[in-house]
């Protein structure tokens, strides 16, 4: 028992209870969620209300403002509070979230619809990449545009300043977000308090703005001017962009902190700011260019521009990190070729950096900033990718509700139709903006979808072709046991994607060297439809005969495969694995296009290009380079 003295008297030091520790942990996670989960949706007030009101025209009546505010309020309520907080967050895959996690969950729940679910998941993932390109561009650009309110003479410097900030943002990715993550939450906490306070002050300019709580105003606005309202709906959706981050970052913070943060801080502060902007507009009777900044006192504009810039950088950081995580999941699920992954933290597995992905996103973002030049122009390009991704989430959620949660068809269908109609309405309102900039989202999503579809299709053709030419492993092992070639000391590990067939590297080794190791392991790496796999389920071993053994290593789609570390677990199962007496044999295929592949020639060439760009297997599986032997083969696909 530990004691501490007070006025010469000793007494026991009270240790925090488990409940107090959990409460403290929840508070810490809530602050972290503010910086990562809610960065995107938290910066939407800068441009969402402005764009929605401008869509109504240069002139407006009181009912227009109330209608727009009512639409924003109920969009936030139904999409974020009901759909994501109440339902989607419950569809966790072993604690992890995101489009591909939900896809894996749905495919497990309903195997009969596996192919259709895969297509839906691919569409959702492709659309997220479109979001990850546009979010940094529009967020940072909209914040920097605030300097135009300080002084119009700085107008010409908005784009250059934005490019400098973005260049710095992408250049520091290699250091990892862990070192700066501790300040993300506090900065966003200040941001939400400031925007909430700014809105609260201006609500008193015209308290009648609170009437917009009544959904009657949203309905009347939609029916009175359907043509204008349809365009406005597309702009209103900007208020809920970032809602998908609640699900994507589920694994980092857990459901409870995300839900508590939404109801206690984010939702109230967002509503206060939107209603404050509405009251400011009503009291002046004009449509300001930037109501978010213009309603601030003159002395507060410059500090708010700085705070807004920091907040949008944080929002961009969250989306970029999400793109890294999604790419790694896609690689693990064999939807993309191997891509170099650098871990930026020894403590957090989720903190990773992908140089190639970072470079591609950086170039695309900067081209968008230069090409569009303003956040208003970019707003037209923003909605399609996010609305499309939300629509895919609704489809996948229906599968989970019906076949995993065992809901009655009527209940699952009713909820899916409610969410689907709203998502489809927002998607339709944004589709009409294709010519104005929406083509950017469509282009990015189509390119990513084509790449993933090509990789899946090409990998299947390559697997089928090589399998036809391979010898069954059990047959070969039996023959080699009867008529042994020259045996050499040590262990040979042959990596293969098909554990039932003799690996190409083994066949070429026998053909050219005419020797066999005393112990030969046919090793395959499997990705489980869950984020992580416990060590107890990591390794499966099967002895074929005294010369051969079949080993399967299973990793979750959120884990980075480490073969030597996983093989060390084999010691518990009787195999005395020693990395220093083990040689790893890998097949390096040289692919050639073939007219009989089943794919068009251009897709053959695309697949071959993707295969050549894949990260080195030795580094990807973290095998010591000094223990690897690569044997090259040529394959026509």
């Amino acid at each position: 028992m530990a004691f501490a003295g007070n006025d010469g008297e000793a007494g026991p030091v009270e240790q925090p209870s488990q409940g107090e520790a959990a409460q403290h942990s929840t508070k810490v996670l809530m602050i972290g969620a503010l910086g990562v989960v809610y960065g995107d949706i938290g910066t939407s007030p800068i441009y969402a209300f402005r764009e929605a009101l401008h869509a109504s025209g240069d002139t407006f009546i009181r009912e227009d403002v109330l209608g727009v505010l009512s639409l924003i309020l109920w969009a936030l309520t139904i999409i974020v509070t009901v759909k994501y907080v109440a339902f989607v967050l419950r569809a966790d895959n072993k604690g992890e979230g995101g489009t591909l996690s939900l896809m894996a969950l749905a495919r497990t729940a309903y195997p009969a619809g596996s192919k259709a679910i895969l297509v839906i998941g691919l569409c959702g993932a492709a659309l997220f990449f479109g979001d990850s390109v546009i979010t940094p561009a529009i967020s940072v650009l909209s914040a920097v545009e605030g300097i135009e309110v300080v002084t119009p003479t700085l107008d010409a410097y908005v784009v250059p300043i934005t490019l400098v900030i973005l260049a710095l943002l992408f250049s520091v990715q290699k250091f990892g977000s862990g070192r700066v993550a501790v300040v993300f939450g506090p900065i966003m906490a200040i941001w939400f308090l400031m925007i909430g306070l700014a809105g609260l002050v201006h609500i008193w300019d015209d308290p009648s703005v609170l009437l917009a709580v009544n959904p009657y105003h949203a309905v009347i606005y939609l029916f009175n001017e359907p043509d204008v309202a349809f365009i406005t709906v597309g702009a209103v959706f900007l208020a809920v962009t970032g809602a998908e981050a609640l699900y994507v970052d589920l694994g980092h913070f857990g459901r409870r902190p995300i839900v508590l943060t939404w109801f206690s801080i984010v939702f109230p502060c967002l509503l206060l700011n939107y209603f404050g902007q509405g009251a400011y507009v009503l009291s002046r009777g004009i449509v300001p260019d930037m109501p978010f900044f213009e309603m601030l006192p003159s002395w507060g504009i410059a500090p708010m521009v700085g705070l807004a810039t920091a907040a949008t950088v944080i929002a961009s950081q969250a989306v970029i990190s999400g793109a890294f995580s999604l790419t790694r999941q896609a690689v693990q699920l064999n939807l993309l070729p191997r891509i170099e992954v650098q871990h930026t933290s020894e403590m957090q597995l989720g903190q990773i950096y992908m140089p190639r992905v970072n470079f591609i996103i950086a170039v695309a973002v900067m081209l968008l900033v230069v090409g569009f030049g303003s956040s208003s122009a970019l707003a037209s390009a923003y909605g399609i990718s996010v609305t499309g991704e939300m629509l895919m989430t609704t489809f996948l959620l229906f599968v989970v509700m019906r076949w995993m949660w065992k809901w009655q068809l009527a209940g699952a269908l009713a909820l899916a139709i409610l969410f689907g109609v709203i998502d489809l309405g927002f998607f339709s309102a944004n589709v009409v903006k294709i010519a104005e900039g929406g083509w950017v989202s469509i282009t990015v999503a189509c390119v990513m979808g084509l790449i993933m579809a090509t990789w899946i299709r090409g990998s299947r053709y390559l697997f089928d072709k090589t399998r036809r030419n391979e010898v069954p492993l059990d047959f070969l092992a039996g023959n080699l046991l009867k008529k042994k070639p020259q045996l050499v000391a040590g262990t040979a590990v042959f990596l293969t994607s098909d554990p039932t067939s003799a690996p190409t590297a083994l066949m070429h080794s026998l053909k050219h060297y005419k020797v066999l190791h005393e112990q030969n392991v046919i090793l395959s790496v499997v990705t489980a439809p869950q984020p992580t796999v416990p060590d107890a389920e990591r390794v499966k071993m099967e002895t074929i005969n005294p010369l051969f053994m079949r080993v399967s290593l299973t990793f979750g789609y959120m884990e980075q495969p480490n073969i030597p570390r996983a093989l060390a677990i084999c010691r518990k199962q009787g195999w005395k694995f020693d990395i220093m007496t083990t040689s790893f044999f890998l097949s390096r295929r040289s692919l050639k296009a073939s007219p009989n592949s089943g794919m068009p020639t251009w897709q053959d060439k695309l697949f071959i290009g993707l295969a050549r760009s894949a990260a080195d297997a030795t580094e990807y599986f973290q095998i010591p380079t000094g223990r690897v032997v690569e044997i090259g083969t040529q394959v026509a696909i």
Side-chain angles (χ1 to χ4, degrees), residues 440-464:
V440 174
S441 296
I442 298 296
T443 301
V444 173
C446 287
V447 168
M448 288 306 304
L450 177 63
I451 288 174
M452 288 190 285
T454 298
W455 184 254
I456 294 170
R457 191 178 183 188
S459 297
R460 186 175 67 247
Y461 279 124
L462 180 60
F463 178 82
D464 291 341

Side-chain angles (χ1 to χ4, degrees), residues 221-251:
Y221 180 78
L222 292 174
F223 280 96
N224 281 351
E225 298 178 271
D227 295 338
V228 175
F230 187 69
I231 299 173
T232 304
V233 164
V236 165
F237 185 77
L238 295 172
V240 296
T241 54
E244 68 282 358
L246 276 71
Y247 187 48
V248 171
D249 293 307
L250 179 61

Side-chain angles (χ1 to χ4, degrees), residues 151-332:
T151 170
T153 58
L154 295 175
D155 181 30
Y157 297 97
V158 169
V159 171
I161 292 174
T162 301
L163 292 175
V164 170
I165 293 172
L166 289 170
L168 290 173
L169 173 64
F170 284 102
S171 65
V172 300
Q173 293 299 314
K174 60 184 176 182
F175 300 111
S177 60
R179 296 180 183 178
V180 292
V182 290
V183 301
F184 281 8
I187 289 177
M188 290 307 297
I190 295 172
W191 167 259
F192 280 110
L193 291 175
M194 289 298 99
I195 65 173
L197 181 61
L200 180 63
V201 169
H202 281 282
I203 285 177
W204 304 112
D205 292 353
D206 192 334
S208 67
V209 74
L210 295 175
L211 294 173
V213 172
N214 189 340
Y216 165 83
H217 293 283
V219 175
I220 290 299
Y221 180 78
L222 292 174
F223 280 96
N224 281 351
E225 298 178 271
D227 295 338
V228 175
F230 187 69
I231 299 173
T232 304
V233 164
V236 165
F237 185 77
L238 295 172
V240 296
T241 54
E244 68 282 358
L246 276 71
Y247 187 48
V248 171
D249 293 307
L250 179 61
H252 295 284
F253 301 98
R255 183 176 182 272
R256 178 177 169 81
I258 291 175
V259 172
L260 290 176
T261 304
W262 171 252
F263 284 113
S264 63
I265 302 174
V266 180
F267 196 27
C269 290
L270 287 177
L271 293 183
L272 285 174
N273 191 266
Y274 282 123
F275 276 75
Q277 290 187 53
Y280 174 80
V281 170
L282 286 175
S283 66
R284 281 153 183 77
I286 59 172
V287 182
D289 292 331
M290 295 184 182
F292 179 85
F293 289 108
E294 291 178 27
M295 72 176 183
L296 298 170
S298 57
W299 56 265
I301 295 176
M304 184 58 89
V305 170
L307 184 59
T309 303
T312 53
V313 167
I314 291 171
S316 303
Q317 172 66 58
V319 175
I320 296 167
S321 299
F324 292 160
S325 297
L326 186 70
T327 303
R328 182 172 70 169
Q329 289 183 34
V331 171
Q332 286 290 80

